[in-house]
Amino acid sequence: MKRTVHVRVNLLNVVTIAGLLFGPSLACAEDGVTNDAVVFGQAAVFEGPAAALGTGMRTGIQAAFDEANKQGGIHGRKLKLDTIDDGYEPEKLIVATKKLIDEDKVFALIGPVGTPTSAATQPIATAAGVPFIGAFTGASFLRDPKLTNVINVRASYDAETEAWAKHLVEDLKVKKIAIFYQDDSFGRAGLSGFKQAMEKRGMEIAAEGTFERNTVAVKSALLAIKRADPEAVVMVSPYKPAAEFIKLAHKIDFNPVFVNISFVGAVALAKELGPDGSGVVISQVVPFPWDASIKVVADYQAAIKALDPQAQPDFVSLEGYIAGRLVINAIDKVGDNLTREALLQTIRNGTFDIGGLKISYGSDRAGLDTVFMTVIQGDGSFKAVDRLVKVSRN
């Protein structure tokens, strides 16, 4: 006679045993994290007139990740970077971001490029609880304390435009300043910050000129600005439209002081300008990429060379490298039990020393707040300056 044996299974015990048998990858509930990898996603511009910005950020982030991976990763996990081109268009970036989050299941987004693009996709990341780290933009909306998933590395555009006004007025005694800007949320963010800086000094902007994103149609803006005969023109633009404006201005013997925002892509701008670049000013939000006396810069130079022997230092890839090093340091502090919230809390409440560069966070979610001034030299190189001096083209 057969006897039937009834076995009562405790579901909790099954899960516990499965976790012991199959390891942490089964038990880990966080997208993009396995027992041997952490996957980040970057949707940015890799083609078109702003391509150098996306590729520069990608180079810096990947160099930092490779550097860590060669040392065994962080707590045994290698860092991976999935990238998608967004063409510097919000609509394309929305599609790319949803793919990275919903299909590729990345742990976090890192290194997006641009204000209008970030404005379109930050809400997607926020709704999904995905960290949105190191955007290549100084737009103020990303500094809202309520956006707890957003981590900024760079100083704001307001800080840059304040530095413009300070140096032009105090160093050069300039009284008439015009502004050239991209006609979208990026350009208007720069315009807003510069207006505030001018109003603080009891001054008005002499003239405004705009152009459409992803074009170099700048002639009408140039003519509108030239009519005001300003002593300086501040520029909120990627490198190709800015270069086109400056070269055309020189052809018609219009030679004010040109001051560009960090987003321009300084090295790309210098290459586009050639001889027309001498004396052009660019504000920066990272240390000087050629100053190897700063440890983080020396580390960066070695890392990009290891990634690509032909790679040359520039401000954009250094910013990407610093963003990469920040998340590496934060993951290391979190430990084995890596979650999105643990990473965000660690960064929000932490202070990091990255090769002598101190990054600390407060309510504005911005780790760095210093603005540096640089000037393109006659040979296309850069000089870091504490104050501006008038440079004649004659």
Side-chain angles (χ1 to χ4, degrees):
M1 177 177 178
K2 293 183 178 179
R3 300 177 63 185
T4 302
V5 178
H6 296 278
V7 179
R8 180 174 295 170
V9 178
N10 186 309
L11 183 59
L12 178 61
N13 290 339
V14 171
V15 173
T16 302
I17 293 168
L20 293 171
L21 290 175
F22 298 105
S25 60
L26 180 68
C28 183
E30 203 71 274
D31 283 349
V33 181
T34 66
N35 60 328
D36 59 3
V38 185
V39 183
F40 288 79
Q42 183 195 20
V45 54
F46 302 122
E47 297 179 4
L53 307 179
T55 56
M57 286 293 287
R58 178 175 62 189
T59 293
I61 295 165
Q62 190 63 64
F65 284 6
D66 283 4
E67 184 179 50
N69 290 342
K70 287 175 182 176
Q71 298 173 17
I74 310 300
H75 299 292
R77 294 185 175 109
K78 299 293 182 69
L79 305 175
K80 297 181 180 180
L81 181 67
D82 287 351
T83 61
I84 302 178
D85 175 55
D86 67 25
Y88 193 35
E89 291 291 352
E91 295 79 8
K92 287 185 68 175
L93 181 56
I94 289 171
V95 174
T97 300
K98 288 182 176 179
K99 181 181 185 301
L100 288 170
I101 294 174
D102 298 335
E103 297 178 27
D104 298 349
K105 305 293 185 182
V106 299
F107 173 67
L109 298 172
I110 188 170
V113 171
T115 301
T117 41
S118 293
T121 56
Q122 165 269 310
I124 297 171
T126 299
V130 175
F132 192 83
I133 301 170
F136 189 71
T137 170
S140 58
F141 76 89
L142 289 177
R143 281 141 178 83
D144 184 342
K146 296 177 183 177
L147 299 178
T148 56
N149 72 310
V150 174
I151 301 295
N152 299 291
V153 173
R154 54 162 42 227
S156 69
Y157 287 153
D158 287 354
E160 288 193 70
T161 53
E162 167 60 25
W164 293 351
K166 180 179 188 299
H167 284 286
L168 287 171
V169 173
E170 295 181 13
D171 299 348
L172 299 180
K173 313 302 180 187
V174 168
K175 299 185 184 302
K176 292 180 68 177
I177 310 172
I179 185 167
F180 168 73
Y181 62 94
Q182 186 166 285
D183 190 13
D184 63 5
S185 57
F186 161 52
R188 288 188 288 275
L191 173 65
S192 174
F194 192 61
K195 277 185 175 178
Q196 291 177 41
M198 293 288 278
E199 289 170 359
K200 177 180 173 180
R201 292 163 174 81
M203 300 173 68
E204 294 184 355
I205 296 174
E208 299 179 14
T210 66
F211 67 98
E212 296 297 318
R213 182 177 60 245
N214 273 334
T215 75
V216 291
V218 303
K219 288 183 181 178
S220 60
L222 171 60
L223 294 176
I225 288 174
K226 186 178 185 299
R227 282 194 291 270
D229 193 28
E231 301 162 86
V233 177
V234 297
M235 314 184 78
V236 189
S237 164
Y239 56 96
K240 280 188 179 293
E244 182 72 5
F245 186 101
I246 293 168
K247 287 188 288 188
L248 289 176
H250 288 164
K251 284 182 180 179
I252 60 174
D253 198 30
F254 177 47
N255 301 305
V257 179
F258 291 108
V259 181
N260 283 264
I261 206 159
S262 60
F263 183 88
V264 73
V267 171
L269 176 65
K271 288 179 180 177
E272 289 283 333
L273 284 171
D276 286 290
S278 181
V280 171
V281 180
I282 308 168
S283 54
Q284 308 291 354
V285 293
V286 294
F288 201 60
W290 297 272
D291 186 0
S293 68
I294 305 170
K295 188 177 185 304
V296 69
V297 174
D299 292 345
Y300 151 76
Q301 290 180 354
I304 61 168
K305 286 294 183 182
L307 177 68
D308 176 5
Q310 304 304 315
Q312 297 298 319
D314 73 18
F315 298 93
V316 180
S317 59
L318 176 55
E319 185 168 337
Y321 178 79
I322 292 170
R325 285 283 297 271
L326 172 65
V327 298
I328 288 166
N329 276 255
I331 290 171
D332 188 39
K333 284 189 176 184
V334 170
D336 290 333
N337 188 24
L338 178 62
T339 65
R340 287 166 171 166
E341 185 54 34
L343 178 76
L344 290 168
Q345 284 192 14
T346 298
I347 296 176
R348 289 196 302 257
N349 301 322
T351 297
F352 302 85
D353 185 335
I354 299 177
L357 181 67
K358 296 292 178 64
I359 300 181
S360 60
Y361 284 86
S363 61
D364 64 354
R365 303 281 182 271
L368 300 172
D369 56 13
T370 304
V371 176
F372 310 88
M373 304 304 289
T374 61
V375 181
I376 302 176
Q377 304 299 288
D379 61 358
S381 65
F382 290 82
K383 181 179 180 180
V385 298
D386 293 325
R387 63 185 306 274
L388 300 180
V389 296
K390 182 70 175 177
V391 177
S392 174
R393 287 185 52 80
N394 297 327

